[in-house]
Amino acid sequence: MKAVTWQGRRNVTVETVPDPQVVDPTDAVIKVTTTGLCGSDLHLYEVLGPFLDAGDILGHEPMGVVAEVGPEVRELKVGDRVVVPFNVSCGTCFMCERGLHSQCETTQVHEHGSGASLFGYTKLYGQVPGGQAEYLRVPFASTLPIPVPEGPPDDRFVFLSDVLPTAWQAVAYADIPPGGSVAVLGLGPIGDMCTRIAAHRGAGQVIGIDLVPARLARAAGHGVQVFDLSEYGDELVDAVRSATGGRGPDAVIDAVGMEAHGSAAAKAAQTATGLLPDAMASALMKKAGVDRLGALQLAIELVRRGGTISLSGVYGGAVDPLPLLTMFDKQIQLRMGQANVRRWVDDLMPLLTDGDPLGVEGFATHHLSLDDAPRAYAAFQAKRDNMVKVLFRP
């Protein structure tokens, strides 16, 4: 089969690799019909290379049709249409039963002290072959895949794999009071969807902050009050406070993460680390790695006293400095973590089967073949071609 593979820093290629097989009796194999390119994939493209091997299959946002099932799979049959969550979770352990699928005790990566394994996402998270491929082996096939109905196009459901539950959890964790205000930092796929979900759940004022004109215009078209970071610069905090009664927003969602703009020293450290041999680089990142904290520092400045910051952008630094004095003084509440995909499916499914209030069918900006993946990674990282969300059709 064809698959998108990591070959080195800023180097992904489409290769012919062996088809996946049923290994355990609870496995299934799906024929992938649509699979997404995620902002988190760019962290593999740029920063997290020391935790990858050449040939690793990328991607964690797939859906498709069941092609084969193991002998102990009763809930699925060949031909069923399913979405695959990016967490590899068993659904039955202590953590999964409490809705913490990203902490699944069955698939935790103890070697690296990490939570649940993830599809297509480094040795830190199990080095599980990913879903930017023609076929995908899916473990725990009785509890992990999400069955979806026939009829509507893949665009209606594929975002259940990551974008929708990640954004839903980010908004839930933000704990926006009814009619309250929220600022979303970063209007890529997750940030954009956060603004839509926040409005749907009753936020009275939704603010979006970015520096890419196309993303700002897209959010503004959905009623978001947008601020261009490149226009306001150092005056952004005052401008947002002025727009929120002088206090700042009740909640801030950081949908940017470890590769924020405006963190030159951390960017230089990340780049230098990436040039080291993998064994040395991975050891250094696990002990002394730093993130670009521009977005998180802005969130701390923006949020009102007693407000909440919700982190959905991925962070991976081991020694990131935080302004704890300010955070303590402002009495900030901070929530974060990988999305627990299966936890939120029951909340989200009615929004996909009874109309389309979140606009998922028009959410993708680009539909490409799998062969276009190398070009898409480069364009998405450079924020070219008005690219916000890419879906591949294997």
Side-chain angles (χ1 to χ4, degrees), residues 28-100:
V29 173
I30 70 163
K31 177 177 174 58
V32 178
T33 55
T34 299
T35 185
L37 172 58
C38 179
S40 297
D41 292 324
L42 297 184
H43 302 321
L44 312 183
Y45 191 65
E46 181 73 23
V47 176
L48 295 178
F51 300 105
L52 290 155
D53 289 331
D56 280 355
I57 300 174
L58 304 179
H60 57 268
E61 299 184 344
M63 71 172 292
V65 177
V66 177
E68 184 181 0
V69 295
E72 294 183 13
V73 177
R74 301 287 182 264
E75 287 72 11
L76 292 181
K77 64 182 185 301
V78 172
D80 284 351
R81 190 184 191 197
V82 296
V83 176
V84 181
F86 74 90
N87 320 113
V88 184
S89 58
C90 70
T92 57
C93 70
F94 176 92
M95 291 294 179
C96 289
E97 287 181 346
R98 284 154 182 78
L100 295 170

Coordinates of all heavy atoms in Angstrom, one line a residue, residues 28-100:
A28 N -8.9 -4.9 13.9 CA -9.6 -4.8 12.6 C -8.6 -4.1 11.7 O -7.6 -3.4 12.1 CB -10.9 -4.0 12.7
V29 N -8.8 -4.2 10.4 CA -8.0 -3.4 9.4 C -9.1 -2.6 8.6 O -10.1 -3.2 8.2 CB -7.2 -4.3 8.4 CG1 -6.6 -3.5 7.3 CG2 -6.1 -5.0 9.2
I30 N -8.9 -1.3 8.4 CA -9.8 -0.5 7.7 C -9.1 0.0 6.4 O -7.9 0.2 6.4 CB -10.3 0.7 8.5 CG1 -9.2 1.7 8.7 CG2 -10.9 0.3 9.8 CD1 -9.8 3.1 9.1
K31 N -9.9 0.1 5.4 CA -9.5 0.7 4.1 C -9.8 2.2 4.3 O -10.9 2.6 4.5 CB -10.3 0.2 2.9 CG -9.9 0.9 1.6 CD -10.6 0.3 0.4 CE -10.4 1.1 -0.8 NZ -9.0 1.2 -1.2
V32 N -8.7 3.0 4.3 CA -8.9 4.5 4.7 C -9.5 5.2 3.4 O -9.0 5.0 2.3 CB -7.5 5.1 5.0 CG1 -7.7 6.6 5.3 CG2 -6.9 4.4 6.2
T33 N -10.6 5.9 3.7 CA -11.2 6.7 2.6 C -10.9 8.2 2.7 O -10.9 8.9 1.7 CB -12.7 6.5 2.7 OG1 -13.3 6.8 4.0 CG2 -13.1 5.0 2.3
T34 N -10.7 8.7 3.9 CA -10.3 10.1 4.1 C -9.4 10.1 5.4 O -9.6 9.4 6.4 CB -11.5 11.0 4.4 OG1 -12.3 11.0 3.2 CG2 -11.0 12.4 4.6
T35 N -8.3 10.9 5.3 CA -7.4 11.1 6.5 C -6.9 12.5 6.5 O -6.6 13.1 5.4 CB -6.3 10.0 6.4 OG1 -5.5 10.1 7.6 CG2 -5.4 10.2 5.2
G36 N -6.7 13.1 7.7 CA -6.4 14.5 7.8 C -4.9 14.8 8.0 O -4.2 13.9 8.5
L37 N -4.5 16.0 7.7 CA -3.2 16.5 8.1 C -3.5 17.5 9.2 O -4.2 18.5 9.1 CB -2.6 17.3 6.9 CG -1.3 18.0 7.1 CD1 -0.2 17.2 7.7 CD2 -0.8 18.7 5.9
C38 N -2.8 17.2 10.3 CA -3.1 18.0 11.6 C -1.9 18.9 11.9 O -0.7 18.6 11.5 CB -3.2 17.0 12.7 SG -3.5 17.7 14.4
G39 N -2.2 20.0 12.6 CA -1.1 20.9 13.1 C -0.1 20.1 13.9 O 1.1 20.5 13.9
S40 N -0.6 19.1 14.7 CA 0.4 18.3 15.5 C 1.4 17.6 14.6 O 2.5 17.3 15.0 CB -0.4 17.3 16.3 OG -1.2 18.0 17.3
D41 N 1.0 17.2 13.4 CA 1.9 16.6 12.5 C 3.1 17.5 12.1 O 4.2 17.0 11.8 CB 1.2 16.2 11.2 CG 0.2 15.1 11.4 OD1 0.4 14.2 12.2 OD2 -0.9 15.1 10.7
L42 N 2.9 18.8 12.2 CA 4.0 19.7 11.9 C 5.0 19.7 13.0 O 6.2 20.0 12.7 CB 3.5 21.1 11.7 CG 2.5 21.3 10.5 CD1 2.1 22.8 10.4 CD2 3.1 20.8 9.2
H43 N 4.7 19.3 14.2 CA 5.7 19.1 15.2 C 6.6 18.0 14.9 O 7.8 18.0 15.2 CB 5.0 18.9 16.6 CG 4.1 19.9 17.0 ND1 4.3 21.3 16.8 CD2 2.9 19.9 17.7 CE1 3.3 22.0 17.3 NE2 2.5 21.2 17.8
L44 N 6.1 16.9 14.2 CA 7.0 15.8 13.8 C 7.8 16.3 12.6 O 9.0 15.9 12.5 CB 6.1 14.7 13.3 CG 5.0 14.2 14.3 CD1 4.3 13.0 13.7 CD2 5.5 13.9 15.6
Y45 N 7.3 17.1 11.8 CA 7.9 17.6 10.6 C 9.1 18.5 10.9 O 10.2 18.5 10.2 CB 6.9 18.4 9.8 CG 7.3 18.8 8.4 CD1 7.5 17.9 7.4 CD2 7.4 20.2 8.0 CE1 7.8 18.3 6.1 CE2 7.7 20.6 6.7 CZ 7.9 19.6 5.7 OH 8.2 20.0 4.5
E46 N 9.0 19.2 12.1 CA 10.0 20.2 12.4 C 10.8 19.9 13.7 O 12.1 19.9 13.7 CB 9.4 21.5 12.6 CG 10.3 22.7 12.9 CD 11.1 23.1 11.8 OE1 10.7 22.9 10.6 OE2 12.2 23.7 12.0
V47 N 10.2 19.5 14.8 CA 10.8 19.5 16.1 C 11.1 18.1 16.7 O 12.1 17.9 17.3 CB 10.0 20.3 17.1 CG1 10.6 20.3 18.5 CG2 9.8 21.8 16.6
L48 N 10.2 17.2 16.5 CA 10.2 15.9 17.3 C 10.9 14.8 16.5 O 10.8 13.6 16.9 CB 8.8 15.5 17.6 CG 8.1 16.4 18.6 CD1 6.7 16.0 18.9 CD2 8.9 16.6 19.9
G49 N 11.7 15.1 15.5 CA 12.4 14.1 14.7 C 13.3 13.2 15.5 O 13.3 12.0 15.1
P50 N 13.9 13.6 16.6 CA 14.7 12.6 17.4 C 13.9 11.4 17.9 O 14.5 10.4 18.3 CB 15.3 13.5 18.5 CG 15.3 14.9 17.9 CD 14.1 15.0 17.1
F51 N 12.6 11.5 17.9 CA 11.8 10.4 18.4 C 11.1 9.6 17.3 O 10.2 8.9 17.6 CB 10.7 11.0 19.4 CG 11.3 11.7 20.6 CD1 11.3 13.1 20.7 CD2 11.9 11.0 21.6 CE1 11.9 13.7 21.8 CE2 12.5 11.6 22.7 CZ 12.5 13.0 22.8
L52 N 11.6 9.8 16.1 CA 11.1 9.1 14.9 C 12.2 8.3 14.2 O 13.4 8.7 14.4 CB 10.4 10.1 13.9 CG 9.1 10.8 14.3 CD1 9.0 12.1 13.6 CD2 8.0 9.9 14.1
D53 N 11.8 7.3 13.5 CA 12.7 6.6 12.6 C 12.3 6.8 11.2 O 11.1 6.9 10.9 CB 12.7 5.1 13.0 CG 13.3 4.8 14.3 OD1 14.2 5.5 14.7 OD2 12.9 3.8 15.0
A54 N 13.3 6.8 10.3 CA 13.0 6.9 8.9 C 12.0 5.7 8.5 O 12.3 4.6 8.8 CB 14.2 6.8 8.1
G55 N 11.0 6.1 7.8 CA 10.0 5.1 7.4 C 8.7 5.0 8.3 O 7.8 4.4 7.9
D56 N 8.8 5.7 9.4 CA 7.6 5.7 10.3 C 6.4 6.3 9.5 O 6.5 7.3 8.8 CB 7.8 6.6 11.5 CG 8.6 5.8 12.6 OD1 8.9 4.6 12.4 OD2 8.9 6.5 13.6
I57 N 5.2 5.7 9.6 CA 4.0 6.1 8.9 C 3.3 7.1 9.8 O 3.0 6.9 11.0 CB 3.1 4.9 8.6 CG1 3.8 3.9 7.7 CG2 1.8 5.4 7.9 CD1 3.0 2.6 7.5
L58 N 3.0 8.3 9.2 CA 2.4 9.4 9.9 C 0.9 9.4 9.8 O 0.3 8.6 9.1 CB 3.0 10.7 9.3 CG 4.5 10.9 9.3 CD1 4.9 12.2 8.7 CD2 5.1 10.7 10.7
G59 N 0.3 10.3 10.6 CA -1.1 10.6 10.5 C -2.0 10.0 11.6 O -1.7 8.8 12.0
H60 N -3.0 10.7 12.1 CA -3.8 10.2 13.2 C -5.2 10.7 13.1 O -5.9 10.8 14.1 CB -3.2 10.7 14.5 CG -3.0 12.1 14.7 ND1 -1.9 12.8 14.3 CD2 -3.9 13.1 15.1 CE1 -2.0 14.1 14.6 NE2 -3.2 14.3 15.0
E61 N -5.7 11.0 11.9 CA -7.1 11.5 11.7 C -7.8 10.7 10.6 O -8.3 11.3 9.6 CB -7.1 13.0 11.4 CG -6.5 13.8 12.4 CD -6.6 15.3 12.1 OE1 -6.8 15.7 10.9 OE2 -6.4 16.1 13.0
P62 N -7.9 9.4 10.7 CA -8.4 8.6 9.6 C -9.9 8.2 9.8 O -10.4 8.0 10.9 CB -7.5 7.4 9.6 CG -7.2 7.1 11.0 CD -7.2 8.5 11.7
M63 N -10.6 7.9 8.7 CA -11.8 7.2 8.7 C -11.8 6.3 7.5 O -11.0 6.5 6.5 CB -13.0 8.1 8.7 CG -13.3 8.9 7.5 SD -14.9 9.7 7.5 CE -16.1 8.4 7.5
G64 N -12.7 5.3 7.5 CA -12.8 4.4 6.3 C -13.8 3.3 6.5 O -14.7 3.4 7.3
V65 N -13.6 2.2 5.8 CA -14.5 1.1 5.8 C -13.7 -0.1 6.3 O -12.6 -0.4 5.9 CB -15.0 0.9 4.3 CG1 -15.9 -0.4 4.3 CG2 -15.7 2.1 3.8
V66 N -14.4 -0.9 7.1 CA -13.8 -2.1 7.7 C -13.5 -3.1 6.6 O -14.4 -3.5 5.8 CB -14.6 -2.7 8.8 CG1 -14.0 -4.0 9.3 CG2 -14.8 -1.7 9.9
A67 N -12.2 -3.5 6.4 CA -11.8 -4.5 5.4 C -11.6 -5.9 6.0 O -11.8 -6.9 5.2 CB -10.5 -4.0 4.7
E68 N -11.3 -6.0 7.3 CA -11.1 -7.3 7.9 C -11.2 -7.1 9.4 O -10.9 -6.1 9.9 CB -9.6 -7.7 7.5 CG -9.3 -9.1 8.0 CD -7.8 -9.5 7.7 OE1 -7.1 -8.7 7.1 OE2 -7.4 -10.6 8.1
V69 N -11.7 -8.2 10.0 CA -11.8 -8.2 11.5 C -11.2 -9.4 12.1 O -11.2 -10.5 11.4 CB -13.3 -8.0 12.0 CG1 -13.9 -6.7 11.6 CG2 -14.2 -9.2 11.4
G70 N -10.7 -9.3 13.3 CA -10.2 -10.5 14.0 C -11.3 -11.4 14.5 O -12.5 -10.9 14.6
P71 N -11.0 -12.6 14.9 CA -12.1 -13.5 15.3 C -12.8 -13.2 16.6 O -13.9 -13.7 16.8 CB -11.3 -14.8 15.5 CG -9.9 -14.4 15.7 CD -9.7 -13.2 14.9
E72 N -12.3 -12.3 17.4 CA -13.0 -11.9 18.6 C -13.7 -10.6 18.5 O -14.3 -10.0 19.5 CB -12.0 -11.8 19.8 CG -11.4 -13.2 20.2 CD -10.5 -13.2 21.4 OE1 -10.5 -12.1 22.1 OE2 -9.8 -14.1 21.6
V73 N -13.8 -10.0 17.3 CA -14.5 -8.7 17.1 C -15.9 -9.0 16.8 O -16.3 -9.7 15.8 CB -13.9 -7.9 16.0 CG1 -14.7 -6.6 15.7 CG2 -12.4 -7.6 16.3
R74 N -16.8 -8.6 17.6 CA -18.3 -8.8 17.5 C -19.0 -7.6 17.1 O -20.1 -7.7 16.4 CB -18.9 -9.4 18.8 CG -18.2 -10.6 19.3 CD -18.6 -11.8 18.4 NE -18.0 -13.1 19.0 CZ -16.9 -13.6 18.5 NH1 -16.2 -13.0 17.5 NH2 -16.4 -14.7 19.0
E75 N -18.5 -6.4 17.4 CA -19.3 -5.2 17.2 C -19.2 -4.6 15.8 O -19.9 -3.7 15.4 CB -18.9 -4.1 18.3 CG -19.4 -4.4 19.7 CD -18.7 -5.5 20.3 OE1 -17.6 -6.0 19.8 OE2 -19.1 -6.0 21.4
L76 N -18.2 -5.0 15.1 CA -18.0 -4.5 13.7 C -18.0 -5.7 12.7 O -17.7 -6.8 13.1 CB -16.6 -3.8 13.6 CG -16.4 -2.5 14.3 CD1 -15.0 -2.0 14.0 CD2 -17.4 -1.5 13.9
K77 N -18.3 -5.4 11.5 CA -18.2 -6.4 10.4 C -17.6 -5.7 9.2 O -17.6 -4.5 9.0 CB -19.6 -6.9 10.1 CG -20.6 -5.9 9.5 CD -22.0 -6.5 9.3 CE -23.0 -5.6 8.7 NZ -23.2 -4.4 9.5
V78 N -17.2 -6.5 8.3 CA -16.6 -6.0 7.0 C -17.6 -5.1 6.3 O -18.8 -5.5 6.2 CB -16.1 -7.2 6.1 CG1 -15.7 -6.7 4.7 CG2 -15.0 -7.9 6.8
G79 N -17.2 -4.0 5.9 CA -18.1 -3.0 5.2 C -18.6 -1.9 6.0 O -19.2 -0.9 5.5
D80 N -18.5 -2.0 7.4 CA -18.9 -0.9 8.3 C -18.1 0.3 8.1 O -16.9 0.2 7.8 CB -18.8 -1.4 9.7 CG -20.0 -2.3 10.1 OD1 -20.9 -2.5 9.3 OD2 -19.9 -2.9 11.2
R81 N -18.7 1.4 8.2 CA -18.0 2.7 8.1 C -17.7 3.2 9.5 O -18.5 3.3 10.4 CB -19.0 3.7 7.4 CG -18.4 5.0 6.9 CD -19.5 5.9 6.4 NE -19.0 7.1 5.7 CZ -19.7 8.1 5.4 NH1 -21.0 8.2 5.7 NH2 -19.2 9.2 4.7
V82 N -16.4 3.6 9.7 CA -15.9 4.0 11.0 C -15.0 5.2 10.9 O -14.3 5.4 9.9 CB -15.3 2.8 11.7 CG1 -16.2 1.7 12.0 CG2 -14.0 2.3 11.0
V83 N -14.9 5.9 12.0 CA -13.9 6.9 12.3 C -13.0 6.3 13.4 O -13.4 5.7 14.3 CB -14.5 8.2 12.7 CG1 -13.4 9.2 13.1 CG2 -15.4 8.8 11.7
V84 N -11.7 6.6 13.3 CA -10.7 6.0 14.2 C -10.2 7.2 15.1 O -9.5 8.1 14.6 CB -9.6 5.3 13.5 CG1 -8.6 4.7 14.6 CG2 -10.1 4.2 12.6
P85 N -10.4 7.2 16.4 CA -9.8 8.2 17.3 C -8.3 8.2 17.3 O -7.7 7.1 17.1 CB -10.4 7.8 18.7 CG -11.6 7.1 18.4 CD -11.3 6.3 17.1
F86 N -7.7 9.3 17.5 CA -6.2 9.3 17.5 C -5.6 8.7 18.7 O -4.5 8.2 18.7 CB -5.7 10.7 17.3 CG -5.8 11.7 18.5 CD1 -4.7 11.7 19.4 CD2 -6.9 12.5 18.6 CE1 -4.8 12.6 20.5 CE2 -6.9 13.4 19.7 CZ -5.9 13.4 20.6
N87 N -6.3 8.6 19.8 CA -5.8 7.9 21.0 C -6.0 6.4 20.7 O -7.1 5.9 20.3 CB -6.7 8.1 22.3 CG -7.1 9.6 22.5 OD1 -8.2 9.9 22.5 ND2 -6.1 10.4 22.8
V88 N -5.0 5.6 21.0 CA -5.2 4.1 21.0 C -5.6 3.7 22.4 O -4.7 3.6 23.3 CB -3.9 3.4 20.6 CG1 -4.1 1.9 20.5 CG2 -3.4 4.0 19.3
S89 N -6.9 3.6 22.6 CA -7.4 3.3 24.0 C -8.2 2.1 24.0 O -9.0 1.8 23.1 CB -8.2 4.5 24.5 OG -9.3 4.8 23.6
C90 N -8.2 1.3 25.1 CA -8.8 0.0 25.2 C -10.3 0.2 25.5 O -11.1 -0.7 25.1 CB -8.2 -0.8 26.3 SG -8.5 -0.3 28.0
G91 N -10.7 1.3 26.2 CA -12.1 1.5 26.5 C -12.6 0.8 27.7 O -13.8 1.0 28.1
T92 N -11.8 0.0 28.4 CA -12.3 -0.8 29.5 C -11.4 -0.6 30.8 O -11.8 -1.1 31.8 CB -12.3 -2.3 29.2 OG1 -11.0 -2.7 28.7 CG2 -13.3 -2.5 28.0
C93 N -10.3 0.0 30.8 CA -9.4 0.1 31.9 C -9.9 1.2 32.9 O -10.9 1.9 32.6 CB -8.0 0.4 31.5 SG -7.8 2.1 30.8
F94 N -9.2 1.4 34.0 CA -9.6 2.4 35.0 C -9.7 3.8 34.4 O -10.7 4.5 34.6 CB -8.5 2.4 36.1 CG -8.7 3.4 37.2 CD1 -9.4 3.1 38.3 CD2 -8.2 4.7 37.1 CE1 -9.6 4.1 39.3 CE2 -8.3 5.6 38.0 CZ -9.0 5.3 39.2
M95 N -8.7 4.2 33.6 CA -8.7 5.5 33.0 C -9.8 5.7 32.0 O -10.6 6.7 32.0 CB -7.4 5.8 32.4 CG -6.3 6.0 33.4 SD -6.5 7.4 34.5 CE -5.1 7.3 35.6
C96 N -10.0 4.7 31.1 CA -11.0 4.8 30.0 C -12.4 4.9 30.6 O -13.2 5.6 30.1 CB -10.9 3.6 29.1 SG -9.4 3.7 28.0
E97 N -12.6 4.1 31.7 CA -14.0 4.1 32.3 C -14.3 5.4 32.9 O -15.5 5.8 33.2 CB -14.1 3.0 33.3 CG -14.2 1.6 32.7 CD -14.3 0.5 33.7 OE1 -14.1 0.8 34.9 OE2 -14.7 -0.6 33.4
R98 N -13.3 6.3 33.2 CA -13.5 7.6 33.8 C -13.4 8.7 32.7 O -13.3 9.9 33.0 CB -12.5 7.8 34.9 CG -12.9 7.1 36.2 CD -11.7 6.7 37.1 NE -12.2 5.9 38.2 CZ -12.5 4.6 38.2 NH1 -12.4 4.0 37.0 NH2 -13.0 4.0 39.3
G99 N -13.4 8.3 31.4 CA -13.4 9.2 30.4 C -12.0 9.8 30.1 O -11.9 10.8 29.3
L100 N -11.0 9.2 30.6 CA -9.6 9.7 30.4 C -8.9 8.8 29.4 O -7.9 8.1 29.7 CB -8.9 9.8 31.7 CG -9.4 10.8 32.7 CD1 -8.8 10.6 34.1 CD2 -9.2 12.2 32.2

